[in-house]
Structure formats: C-alpha cells, structure tokens
Amino acid sequence: MTTETTQQKPVLVGVIGGSGLYKLDNMTHVATVNPETPWGFPSSPITIAALPSGTQIAFLARHGFHHQHTPTEVPARANIAAFKSIGVQAIVAFSAVGSLREEVAPGDFVIPNSIIDRTKGIRPSTYFQNVGIVAHAMFGDAFDNDLIEFIKPLVKKVLDEHPEGSVRMHSEKTVVCMEGPQFSTRAESEMYRTLGGDIINMSVLPEAKLAREAEISYAMICTSTDYDCWRVSEEPVTVAEVVKTLHTNASTSKLVTISILDHLHEAIASGSLQLKAKGAMEYSIITKKEAWPAESKKMLSYILPAYFGN
C-alpha cells in the first residue's frame, strides 16, 4: 500500500479498530498517512478510505496492523493527535470487552456511557504533562452523550438486521478500564462488579481522556467476548475462547461501521449533530499565557490551535 506523506482534505470521522479489527472491508483506499506528532507516530498508519457514497473516513488500528502493541504500550497521545491533525472531529472506537453481567453475553454489543479507571497511572493520560502548562478537562460525562444517542439507533438497526440473526445491543453501561496485558483474577472481577462495572476492557483510557483534551467527540462500541472470570461455575476465560469470538465480532463490527458512518459524517458536516467536545477546553487552561513556555505552546498548538496557535 502506498504511503502518502500529506493528506489535504479534512476527514471528519475517525474509527479506531480494537482487537480483531485491523482493517475495514468494502471501502476504497484513498490514501495512507502517518503523521509524526509531537508525541511520536501513531500505533499504525492511518488509512483514509471512501465509503460507497464517496464519504471519506479515517481508520487506525489501535494495537497496530499486526497487534504488536499491548494496551499499556499503545501510543494513545500520538493516535489522538494524528487524528486531530487531519481534521477528525468525532471518533467511533471499537473494543473487545469482557462481560461483568449475566445479561451481557459473548457476542453482544455494548455502547457504554461511563468509565471506571483501574489503570495504574503508568499510561500518559494527558497532553498537559511536564509542559509547564496546567489544564483541567471536565470528564464527568466520559463520552459525548449526544454522539452516543445519535449512533445508538443506527447500530441497533444493523444488529437487528444481521444476516445470521439479530445481535443484542446494550447501552447505558459502565466500562471498567484495567491495566493489562493479563486478565483479571476472580477476586478482582467480583470487585469490579461491586463497584458498578458492567463490562471491562484495557483500552478506553487514556483514549477517551485524550480525545476530550483534543476537543474530539468520542464514543465507543464494545463487543463482548467472554464472561471475564466472575462466574464461579465457569472456567476462567482463555485466550482461545476470546480469539474465537473476536473473529465473529469483528465481522459484525465491519457491518456496523459501513452502515453508520455516512449518517454520522452527514450530521457533523451539516451541523445537525452538535459535538460537545468543541470548545471543551476553552476554560480549562489555568496557567496564565505569559507563563507558557514557548516550546510547550508550539507542541500543544498541534492539538489545540485555537488556544495555542497564535
């Protein structure tokens, strides 16, 4: 695949593929871009592809095309910054998850609306780290709820009409983000249930936090692969079981992606969907302008040109 060094036309919608989803089918390749951001290169080159309608979207493989990055090692700051540099305003991220609830069965889809952070603080989770500029992003609503409400009926319609039979979809669920790459112990799994978690993954953070700081609206579509290990009547989850379900879920995720992106792009382009991330950082920057280090201002202008670009 030819790699382009520049990409002229802004692309409004970005897709992040999770485990098992390393490319999108039935799209026309337009370009491949691999921008070097102030935080390095993204975890995979970004594919610019055209839907059958001609609408262009951007796709990035979170773990790399060959799944070479562990959840902890994913260069999330570079990923989000690279999307921002090509004009992306909304991200639909996909992720494989374990289920912490009986009603969320393997193969089900989940669109969460809240997050519990159980990472260990070893993942860079902000662009305002060691730069001499302090900013506090609001994160009470971890996802853009208007974006969620827009895509929910579109996703449900695709799943209801699945060629191999309808697939269940759940919403208004809480995703626990844990450190990896190992899976949970039974005791941890039970603790997450007690905390109010419904599903668990290793990838939603710091992705969602960084998207907020870059003023990109973010929603996640999750695919359940297993029951984690909380059900004492069950054997602990095995990688073989997860991988088997991953392949099935990835095929369905591709159907979902093809079906919803045209609608999403049109809504953003027309302004009928007002993205809440726009302007989210306007009052979050605490450090006075006269104290901003020149190099930090230049670096942050990459993701927030409206505040640091002049």
Side-chain angles (χ1 to χ4, degrees):
M1 184 181 293
T2 302
T3 300
E4 309 287 344
T5 56
T6 59
Q7 192 274 325
Q8 301 296 325
K9 186 177 180 180
V11 179
L12 301 181
V13 181
V15 176
I16 298 179
S19 298
L21 188 59
Y22 309 112
K23 63 179 182 177
L24 294 178
D25 300 326
N26 303 321
M27 293 189 187
T28 303
H29 175 261
V30 175
T32 302
V33 296
N34 195 27
E36 183 175 12
T37 78
W39 300 272
F41 288 99
S43 52
S44 78
I46 297 173
T47 301
I48 309 299
L51 298 165
S53 65
T55 296
Q56 292 185 13
I57 62 97
F59 176 83
L60 181 150
R62 179 186 292 118
H63 300 286
F65 291 138
H66 306 291
H67 206 121
Q68 62 267 39
H69 303 293
T70 70
T72 304
E73 296 168 341
V74 169
R77 289 190 296 186
N79 289 351
I80 299 300
F83 268 150
K84 184 63 180 276
S85 74
I86 61 173
V88 167
Q89 297 182 23
I91 292 173
V92 178
F94 286 82
S95 175
V97 298
S99 170
L100 297 171
R101 302 294 169 187
E102 189 76 38
E103 67 268 21
V104 181
D108 287 2
F109 275 56
V110 184
I111 301 179
N113 66 345
S114 192
I115 303 172
I116 295 174
D117 187 358
R118 292 292 297 172
T119 61
K120 297 184 177 67
I122 60 177
R123 308 179 186 191
S125 61
T126 177
Y127 290 107
F128 297 89
Q129 180 175 338
N130 300 322
V131 295
I133 300 174
V134 177
H136 297 286
M138 297 297 291
F139 203 61
D141 292 317
F143 304 96
D144 185 327
N145 289 330
D146 287 350
L147 177 58
I148 287 176
E149 291 304 312
F150 183 85
I151 66 173
K152 265 169 46 177
L154 300 175
V155 174
K156 189 175 188 310
K157 184 175 187 296
V158 177
L159 297 180
D160 286 346
E161 298 173 355
H162 194 280
E164 295 182 11
S166 63
V167 178
R168 290 192 301 177
M169 187 191 84
H170 309 266
S171 59
E172 297 185 10
K173 299 293 186 182
T174 296
V175 54
V176 177
C177 188
M178 63 171 282
E179 203 58 77
Q182 297 85 0
F183 292 119
S184 307
T185 67
R186 289 192 191 276
E188 289 170 333
S189 195
E190 286 289 0
M191 177 183 69
Y192 299 144
R193 282 164 47 81
T194 302
L195 290 174
D198 300 299
I199 53 177
I200 183 167
N201 79 354
M202 303 176 187
S203 297
V204 69
L205 296 175
E207 214 168 74
K209 289 183 176 179
L210 295 168
R212 181 64 51 82
E213 287 189 347
E215 295 191 338
I216 301 176
S217 287
Y218 181 95
M220 177 168 273
I221 299 174
C222 302
T223 56
S224 174
T225 60
D226 59 88
Y227 275 115
D228 204 48
C229 59
W230 58 272
R231 295 207 304 186
V232 294
S233 61
E234 300 284 337
E235 289 297 317
V237 60
T238 67
V239 174
E241 292 168 342
V242 171
V243 170
K244 181 180 179 181
T245 310
L246 271 178
H247 292 304
T248 301
N249 289 351
S251 297
T252 306
S253 295
K254 290 176 182 179
L255 287 176
V256 168
T257 304
I258 292 289
S259 301
I260 73 171
L261 292 184
D262 259 329
H263 299 287
L264 180 55
H265 180 277
E266 181 181 352
I268 295 172
S270 67
S272 62
L273 174 60
Q274 296 294 318
L275 299 174
K276 288 188 173 180
K278 288 184 177 181
M281 297 296 291
E282 182 177 0
Y283 302 108
S284 296
I285 303 163
I286 306 301
T287 307
K288 293 183 178 180
K289 287 186 177 182
E290 56 265 31
W292 293 353
E295 282 302 309
S296 297
K297 179 182 176 182
K298 179 181 178 181
M299 180 170 64
L300 291 169
S301 69
Y302 194 90
I303 57 161
L304 293 170
Y307 312 124
F308 296 101
N310 48 40

